[in-house]
Amino acid sequence: MSTSLPPLTALRAFDAAARHMSFAKAAEELHVTPAALSFQIKSLEEHLGRPLFRRLNRAVELTEAGRALAPGAAEGFAALQSAWQAARRQGDDTNLTVTAGPALTAKWLAPRLYDFAREHPEIDLRFSATLRNMDLERDDVDVAIRFGDGPDEGLYSLPVRKEWQTPVMTPELASQYPTPDSLRDAPLIHDDSITFLRPPCDWPAWFRAVGVDFVPEHGARFSNADHAIDAALAGVGVVLGRRSMILKDITEGRLVAPFKTAIETKGRYRFLCLPGAEKRPQIAAFRDWFVAEIEKTAHVSDEFEIIPVEEVTTP
């Protein structure tokens, strides 16, 4: 039995056959003939000194040696693919892939992207709207925009302004609930997308901030912030809306924020990329645009008394 590594083409043939459990499908994936693929696997078995597959009438199955090899082969080719993509990105100054949460993408990023595209026609921008944890070394993503309080170990992390929340509703509902105390009787909407933050930045915290002794026990609950805002836009009730999620609707008059008290969360958005990648032209351009867009609406905060949530936390 040889102790040296076998040819990469033979390992690649084995990996494809082990995933499909079919020589024919593996050959189709690799654009070779079934005979050529069978020859590669046979040479790999000779190199190993034992069979990797049991050939059945119309199928194949892995032997014990095949089952031992398959996970490592799959992981190895996945790592090679990721490393190759990362190396290609280093020399690519025109493509930029950004991941952000669905709510931020819908309520904040998407309405503004035309301006970025107009300023940077040389950059081909792609978005992945997901909250899934991304591996910036292995996934085909250049930048992640995430909300929370970190940590962001091993990454370039640029935090921006902290988020605050205040009640927002349609103008029609606002006429029915003119004071904070009157919200006791209002249909309240709960945004559960940031319940992971500590201390909690929720309706009880806001009522404490305005001196109202009230803990809501009912109301519609949404796991996505944009769905909670959309419910408020439909007149379903009053939502404790985050700054980034409500600015456009307030500016355009679809929602109003009649009470000028807001509570500041412990979380903030962070611009994340691999260390050193922030110097790549397209990433630096997007970072600078992202920060500038946030600063454009910073003056809105001046209209509110913003109270850190830590100051209204119960003992």
Side-chain angles (χ1 to χ4, degrees):
M1 185 191 310
S2 175
T3 58
S4 62
L5 282 175
L8 193 63
T9 52
L11 283 170
R12 189 163 176 248
F14 167 78
D15 173 60
R19 283 188 285 105
H20 291 290
M21 294 307 294
S22 164
F23 284 12
K25 290 181 180 178
E28 183 179 352
E29 176 188 317
L30 299 178
H31 304 290
V32 299
T33 65
L37 184 125
S38 182
F39 175 80
Q40 290 290 345
I41 292 176
K42 184 172 178 59
S43 70
L44 187 63
E45 292 175 325
E46 291 175 352
H47 193 94
L48 180 66
R50 63 188 63 185
L52 294 166
F53 290 95
R54 292 187 183 90
R55 279 74 167 175
L56 308 176
N57 288 336
R58 294 190 177 183
V60 294
E61 65 180 21
L62 290 169
T63 64
E64 185 176 352
R67 290 194 297 272
L69 179 60
E75 184 177 343
F77 280 107
L80 277 173
Q81 179 69 21
S82 298
W84 179 251
Q85 290 174 348
R88 289 186 62 186
R89 289 203 301 270
Q90 292 303 311
D92 183 358
D93 293 337
T94 59
N95 292 305
L96 178 63
T97 301
V98 178
T99 179
L104 182 71
T105 300
K107 293 296 183 182
W108 195 89
L109 278 168
R112 292 170 168 80
L113 284 180
Y114 173 77
D115 291 335
F116 179 82
R118 184 179 56 187
E119 293 173 17
H120 298 280
E122 76 283 5
I123 297 176
D124 185 9
L125 185 62
R126 300 180 178 90
F127 261 91
S128 174
T130 178
L131 291 174
R132 181 172 67 87
N133 287 333
M134 306 292 276
D135 186 333
L136 296 182
E137 288 187 318
R138 301 186 63 171
D139 293 323
D140 192 16
V141 172
D142 300 299
V143 171
I145 297 173
R146 291 293 184 257
F147 179 75
D149 54 1
D152 303 313
E153 296 176 2
L155 296 174
Y156 169 85
S157 177
L158 178 65
V160 295
R161 291 176 177 268
K162 286 187 177 180
E163 287 278 80
W164 47 258
Q165 296 192 121
T166 194
V168 293
M169 63 199 87
T170 61
E172 293 75 17
L173 272 183
S175 65
Q176 300 176 39
Y177 304 103
T179 66
D181 191 68
S182 69
L183 290 183
R184 293 169 177 266
D185 301 319
L188 300 182
I189 298 170
H190 301 265
D191 172 12
D192 287 344
S193 67
I194 60 172
T195 54
F196 63 90
L197 290 176
R198 291 294 179 271
C201 200
D202 51 14
W203 274 114
W206 186 83
F207 278 117
R208 288 195 298 271
V210 294
V212 175
D213 183 15
F214 181 60
V215 177
E217 296 181 357
H218 304 288
R221 311 194 77 95
F222 292 89
S223 59
N224 291 342
D226 54 329
H227 296 170
I229 300 299
D230 287 344
L233 283 165
V236 171
V238 184
V239 66
L240 196 59
R242 264 191 279 156
R243 181 190 63 87
S244 60
M245 303 294 164
I246 61 177
L247 280 177
K248 189 172 188 296
D249 291 314
I250 287 179
T251 301
E252 297 176 358
R254 290 187 292 271
L255 294 175
V256 295
F259 313 120
K260 300 308 177 182
T261 298
I263 48 175
E264 185 181 69
T265 76
K266 291 270 289 187
R268 62 177 69 196
Y269 284 101
R270 294 105 62 221
F271 181 100
L272 307 173
C273 64
L274 292 175
E278 75 277 6
K279 299 175 184 177
R280 290 168 55 196
Q282 72 273 45
I283 292 180
F286 189 76
R287 176 199 60 199
D288 294 345
W289 172 83
F290 177 68
V291 172
E293 284 296 311
I294 290 173
E295 291 304 313
K296 281 181 183 179
T297 56
H299 65 278
V300 175
S301 299
D302 297 337
E303 302 174 12
F304 295 86
E305 177 191 9
I306 301 175
I307 303 173
V309 67
E310 302 94 305
E311 296 183 9
V312 295
T313 301
T314 54

